[in-house]
Amino acid sequence: MIEKLKDKIREYYKDADLSPIVKAYQLAVEAHEGQKRASGEDYIHHPIAVAYILADLQLDVATITAGILHDVIEDTPYDFEDIQKEFGEEVAILVDGVTKLGKLDFVSKEEQQAENLRKMIIAMAKDIRVILIKLADRLHNMRTMKHMPPEKQKAKAQETIEIFAPIAHRLGISAIKWELEDSSLRYLDPKGYYSLVEKVAVKRREREEYIQNVIDILNEKVEEMNIEADIQGRPKHFYSIYSKMVYKNKNFDEIFDLTAVRIIVNSIKDCYGVLGIVHTLWKPIPGRFKDYIAMPKPNMYQSLHTTVIGPKGDPVEIQIRTWEMHRIAEFGIAAHWKYKEGKDSIDDFERKLTWLRQLLEWQKELKDAREFMETLKIDLFTDEVFVFTPKGDVLSLPQGSCPIDFAYSIHSAIGNQCVGAKVNGKIVPLDYKLQNGNIIEVLTSVNSNGPSRDWLNIVRSSQAKNKIKQWFKKEKREENIQKGKEILEKDVKRQGYQFSELFKAEWVEKVLRKFNYHSVDDLYAAVGYGGLTSNQILIRLKDEYNKIHGKAKNKNILEIEQPRKSNRAKQKTFGRGIKVEGFGDIAVRFSKCCNPVPGDEILGYITRGRGVSIHRADCTNIKSLEGAQRFVDVSWDKDDQVNYQSEIQIKAKDQKGLLSNLSNILAETKTSVTAMNARTGKNDIAYINMTIEVKSATELDQLLKRFKKIKGVISTYRV
């Protein structure tokens, strides 16, 4: 294994000293001795596979050495000092940057995930190679995920699609990004994935012949113009097709660019020359031409993209780039790693990582794990919109950004004094959604009262949100201190304690250290401006109280706001199928917006006078609920066999016997229907909405699968 790895490295680093890699291999074999992976193979196969991936990216010896050792600190008796002593500080820092914070105590799994990612971001900012090792580690784990239990497969795939694939995209490493996305889709929606694989395979031969025809025509014309070019077909990745079908509501038959043509030439001049040939041969589709050479993406990607009506009247997507652009498109930041060694290009290299610096800035401000994770996903995952300053400079902002986002991206002072904006010379409202190519001019006033709290609901970028919060934190400090103290006093009272019982000086000191605040006023202010929830503080203070006084007082906001049990029928709603952490009989009700069923991840929200409302964790309405301190941990009571309502939609061809077939399945499965609505749309397509009663998400999935098998049914899904 090690000899093959050395041969691979010598392909791009002929004179490299590979002795640290051999030494790292020997240490890893010894350290991981006796450890097995879920597949049953020796653990050493994993770090070597990670090293192979890093070598594919043509990374330096130190990075590959760290790749072999990346699990040593986390999973073996070796520590940072041992690695530093044997391999030097550079390798030790890289290994430590990838190591999880597994030995610390966390309130929740989400907090642990957030803190691990926070640690990784800080390490990335110091040395970008940390994330390259982590991406290689995650890629190999996804390749071998079939050996893991289903619940772990889904959790890892979700984290990969939300965090690691977007990071790979931000770094421009498409070679890793596409594979992470496709392998995640396989575990998140296996039915959708394999159905797509089947559909793509059906007309593959026909598509390949068509694309080959396009390539032959292009080769002939390019040769006539004496341009040296490599022309290839490039199949679309499954996740790319899936995204168009799900998020743009397209049928498979409506997606024409399943295969694209890529033309690689020697110079930028040849790129535009070939573009002229393409547009002379076939008519371009308006709005589908993008010049990423003149205006590169923030992840350094450069290419010309155009979609034309091809020889048979079908659209064909064509990409044109140079060999250097192609290398950067595949390897992204990794392709630039060698250049960092030269002094002249260090500034250029650092400019390409400005998004990472911003990520580092705002992560320091976010104390709450849930908020940190949500903001990270928004910042990494959203598409970008490119806009211009009045001077012609290009700025990249998250899709859906408004002029306030633009103002804060220029400078926090401009954002704070913003009173209006012009787009392309016309005044627009501050919640106007910016479009590609807009020229933005911010109108400011020194007499401005500063940002409004409403802006937090309008802005899209985490940078703008943070700067608005910072303004309130600084300018309204006294007001925040007073407000935070009032919130805490109110919640302490609601939970049945006296303020003096919980706010002991030595206990508060521990809370201050935990959340990195210097004084009690800082703590109050954080609660006042929303940087911290009262619940986060009270959980820790109550833990200290319990250590001395035993079990916590059995009082809570719920006991004060619990609805009365007026009759036996209503008593059935108390605690049905749900356990609320720390309580016995409690009124619960299932929110109609998302209708959770066992198997769904859920959250509880303390309502005013109606007990606890149960929502799915991914419910969009959760964000609009006020008072983070009103959320409580809830779980499904597996011993309680209760039916739950869930709404489903069936899309099918409008035909005789459809309702009869559906009814037969409902009768066979003894499924109760509490509501039904049917309508016919365009092209004789019928949409049937049903509210049914099921015992679990698994039962619901099985029912949807049976509906899907009915002739004429196009799709079935949970609303």
Side-chain angles (χ1 to χ4, degrees):
M1 288 191 293
I2 198 67
E3 288 306 318
K4 284 183 182 178
L5 178 62
K6 285 161 67 178
D7 290 342
K8 186 184 280 282
I9 297 166
R10 285 198 187 98
E11 286 174 14
Y12 62 94
Y13 269 145
K14 286 186 171 57
D15 303 321
D17 176 14
L18 302 183
S19 58
I21 289 175
V22 177
K23 189 178 175 184
Y25 173 72
Q26 291 165 348
L27 187 145
V29 168
E30 181 193 328
H32 291 298
E33 189 179 0
Q35 293 180 1
K36 300 281 185 182
R37 302 201 83 218
S39 61
E41 67 181 4
D42 290 337
Y43 196 90
I44 190 63
H45 284 270
H46 171 63
I48 290 298
V50 168
Y52 267 89
I53 293 167
L54 294 170
D56 276 333
L57 294 174
Q58 300 190 356
L59 285 160
D60 58 317
V61 170
T63 311
I64 296 170
T65 303
I68 295 172
L69 300 169
H70 78 274
D71 275 335
V72 166
I73 293 178
E74 190 175 326
D75 295 336
T76 78
Y78 286 89
D79 59 17
F80 179 89
E81 285 72 27
D82 295 330
I83 303 298
Q84 186 178 23
K85 184 180 175 184
E86 292 293 327
F87 299 94
E89 190 174 16
E90 182 184 15
V91 171
I93 288 171
L94 290 174
V95 174
D96 185 59
V98 186
T99 303
K100 292 178 189 169
L101 301 168
K103 294 172 185 174
L104 300 180
D105 292 326
F106 294 98
V107 173
S108 66
K109 197 172 182 182
E110 191 171 44
E111 185 183 340
Q112 183 175 11
Q113 184 191 29
E115 291 307 321
N116 280 325
L117 286 166
R118 201 190 293 266
K119 176 179 184 277
M120 190 176 71
I121 287 165
I122 293 167
M124 278 164 65
K126 289 178 184 172
D127 196 324
I128 196 66
R129 292 175 293 177
V130 166
I131 194 58
L132 300 178
I133 298 168
K134 188 65 190 172
L135 287 172
D137 171 48
R138 180 53 61 105
L139 180 59
H140 184 250
N141 281 334
M142 291 305 293
R143 285 175 180 174
T144 55
M145 193 58 73
K146 64 183 177 184
H147 303 290
M148 303 302 289
E151 63 276 5
K152 194 155 189 180
Q153 288 176 347
K154 198 163 186 178
K156 287 288 181 188
Q158 193 70 44
E159 185 183 52
T160 301
I161 208 86
E162 289 181 346
I163 305 293
F164 292 100
I167 286 177
H169 171 67
R170 280 286 194 150
L171 296 173
I173 312 172
S174 63
I176 287 180
K177 178 210 173 200
W178 290 119
E179 191 176 344
L180 287 177
E181 286 180 338
D182 283 358
S183 54
S184 296
L185 177 60
R186 197 160 119 204
Y187 296 110
L188 289 173
D189 184 1
K191 182 182 174 184
Y193 175 81
Y194 288 111
S195 166
L196 199 55
V197 171
E198 226 174 86
K199 286 175 181 173
V200 169
V202 169
K203 293 187 178 179
R204 177 173 286 160
R205 190 167 183 176
E206 192 180 307
R207 276 197 306 275
E208 284 175 354
E209 285 175 4
Y210 178 57
I211 288 298
Q212 191 55 51
N213 183 27
V214 171
I215 291 171
D216 291 343
I217 295 168
L218 282 169
N219 269 322
E220 188 182 327
K221 292 294 178 184
V222 165
E223 281 177 22
E224 284 177 16
M225 300 295 290
N226 293 319
I227 296 175
E228 194 178 320
D230 182 81
I231 307 175
Q232 314 160 344
R234 184 188 67 86
K236 280 273 185 183
H237 295 273
F238 293 121
Y239 186 75
S240 172
I241 302 167
Y242 181 87
S243 297
K244 285 188 179 179
M245 290 172 69
V246 173
Y247 302 116
K248 295 187 179 177
N249 203 22
K250 289 189 174 185
N251 289 324
F252 182 78
D253 296 335
E254 295 177 272
I255 299 171
F256 299 107
D257 54 345
L258 291 175
T259 311
V261 173
R262 180 179 290 151
I263 306 170
I264 307 175
V265 294
N266 294 326
S267 68
I268 293 175
K269 178 188 169 187
D270 287 345
C271 287
Y272 290 101
V274 169
L275 178 69
I277 293 170
V278 171
H279 285 181
T280 304
L281 285 169
W282 304 294
K283 283 187 179 179
I285 296 176
R288 293 299 304 269
F289 170 67
K290 288 169 187 168
D291 188 343
Y292 293 120
I293 293 179
M295 197 186 296
K297 289 186 179 183
N299 65 5
M300 302 160 296
Y301 178 87
Q302 286 185 289
S303 216
L304 295 176
H305 287 200
T306 186
T307 304
V308 296
I309 302 297
K312 294 182 181 177
D314 289 335
V316 181
E317 184 186 307
I318 294 174
Q319 297 176 355
I320 308 164
R321 60 176 70 149
T322 65
W323 284 104
E324 179 60 20
M325 290 173 194
H326 180 61
R327 199 166 72 89
I328 292 167
E330 292 299 302
F331 302 141
I333 205 79
H336 284 259
W337 184 251
K338 290 184 203 172
Y339 307 154
K340 196 169 187 254
E341 295 166 9
K343 275 266 186 195
D344 297 339
S345 57
I346 287 179
D347 290 342
D348 182 48
F349 184 87
E350 294 298 320
R351 271 198 300 276
K352 285 158 185 165
L353 295 177
T354 50
W355 66 273
L356 181 55
R357 310 287 168 229
Q358 289 168 3
L359 206 62
L360 187 64
E361 278 176 29
W362 62 255
Q363 70 83 23
K364 291 175 187 173
E365 297 295 322
L366 300 174
K367 307 290 181 185
D368 180 68
R370 190 188 298 277
E371 188 183 0
F372 172 77
M373 291 300 292
E374 200 56 43
T375 315
L376 181 67
K377 290 168 192 175
I378 288 170
D379 232 53
L380 287 176
F381 199 62
T382 49
D383 289 331
E384 292 140 336
V385 59
F386 297 94
V387 294
F388 293 91
T389 67
K391 291 182 178 178
D393 296 325
V394 181
L395 284 182
S396 162
L397 293 168
Q399 193 85 42
S401 290
C402 65
I404 302 169
D405 290 285
F406 177 85
Y408 277 106
S409 71
I410 302 295
H411 197 277
S412 54
I414 292 174
N416 292 337
Q417 293 178 3
C418 174
V419 292
K422 287 183 180 181
V423 172
N424 302 333
K426 293 180 181 178
I427 290 178
V428 296
L430 287 176
D431 61 355
Y432 169 84
K433 296 285 185 284
L434 301 180
Q435 308 295 319
N436 276 321
N438 283 165
I439 301 169
I440 321 294
E441 183 184 346
V442 179
L443 308 176
T444 60
S445 169
V446 289
N447 298 319
S448 164
N449 293 323
S452 159
R453 286 193 186 273
D454 293 336
W455 287 9
L456 290 169
N457 300 321
I458 298 171
V459 295
R460 184 69 174 156
S461 64
S462 56
Q463 183 185 15
K465 281 186 180 176
N466 263 327
K467 288 182 177 177
I468 294 167
K469 284 180 181 177
Q470 282 172 14
W471 186 88
F472 281 108
K473 180 180 172 183
K474 185 179 175 184
E475 299 295 324
K476 307 274 186 178
R477 181 170 167 79
E478 293 305 316
E479 185 185 312
N480 288 330
I481 291 171
Q482 186 60 34
K483 186 180 174 185
K485 190 173 182 182
E486 285 172 8
I487 290 170
L488 280 165
E489 286 175 347
K490 192 176 177 182
D491 287 344
V492 166
K493 190 176 177 182
R494 276 180 172 177
Q495 298 199 22
Y497 296 88
Q498 295 296 320
F499 195 78
S500 58
E501 284 182 309
L502 291 183
F503 276 74
K504 306 280 187 191
E506 62 272 24
W507 299 351
V508 173
E509 188 61 37
K510 289 182 181 179
V511 174
L512 292 175
R513 283 202 301 272
K514 165 68 183 171
F515 294 111
N516 297 319
Y517 290 113
H518 299 296
S519 68
V520 179
D521 281 352
D522 289 345
L523 201 66
Y524 291 152
V527 175
Y529 71 77
L532 203 61
T533 67
S534 64
N535 207 36
Q536 287 174 287
I537 297 166
L538 296 183
I539 284 172
R540 283 163 178 81
L541 292 177
K542 283 192 290 185
D543 284 346
E544 296 297 328
Y545 180 94
N546 295 343
K547 287 175 188 175
I548 296 171
H549 298 284
K551 194 177 178 183
K553 296 183 179 184
N554 191 23
K555 294 182 181 181
N556 191 276
I557 186 171
L558 295 169
E559 292 188 308
I560 295 168
E561 301 195 5
Q562 187 105 297
R564 292 182 181 177
K565 305 180 188 180
S566 59
N567 56 48
R568 292 190 70 178
K570 285 187 179 179
Q571 284 183 29
K572 290 181 183 177
T573 66
F574 276 68
R576 63 168 197 181
I578 292 290
K579 288 179 180 176
V580 182
E581 193 172 308
F583 305 96
D585 261 2
I586 290 164
V588 297
R589 64 187 189 88
F590 294 91
S591 58
K592 295 283 173 63
C593 52
C594 56
N595 287 322
V597 297
D600 294 332
E601 193 178 337
I602 51 174
L603 284 173
Y605 180 75
I606 301 167
T607 62
R608 301 187 187 277
R610 290 181 295 169
V612 178
S613 173
I614 308 299
H615 289 260
R616 289 202 336 234
D618 59 355
C619 177
T620 52
N621 287 338
I622 284 175
K623 292 176 185 176
S624 63
L625 295 175
E626 294 178 359
Q629 70 274 14
R630 302 181 73 86
F631 285 101
V632 289
D633 289 332
V634 291
S635 59
W636 295 103
D637 185 353
K638 293 177 183 176
D639 300 328
D640 200 339
Q641 293 298 308
V642 182
N643 283 331
Y644 301 85
Q645 289 195 345
S646 185
E647 189 182 348
I648 61 172
Q649 185 176 87
I650 299 155
K651 181 182 175 185
K653 291 175 183 173
D654 191 9
Q655 58 190 17
K656 286 181 181 179
L658 177 62
L659 282 176
S660 173
N661 290 333
L662 293 171
S663 300
N664 289 339
I665 289 174
L666 291 168
E668 286 170 22
T669 56
K670 297 179 181 176
T671 304
S672 296
V673 179
T674 58
M676 183 185 281
N677 178 289
R679 68 189 188 281
T680 306
K682 292 179 181 177
N683 304 320
D684 290 327
I685 299 295
Y687 296 88
I688 301 163
N689 282 59
M690 289 185 202
T691 303
I692 58 174
E693 290 190 347
V694 291
K695 284 188 171 60
S696 68
T698 306
E699 187 180 311
L700 179 61
D701 287 343
Q702 287 170 350
L703 186 65
L704 290 174
K705 283 175 184 174
R706 289 198 65 174
F707 285 153
K708 187 73 191 293
K709 289 178 182 176
I710 295 173
K711 188 179 178 183
V713 171
I714 299 165
S715 65
T716 62
Y717 60 91
R718 185 176 172 185
V719 176

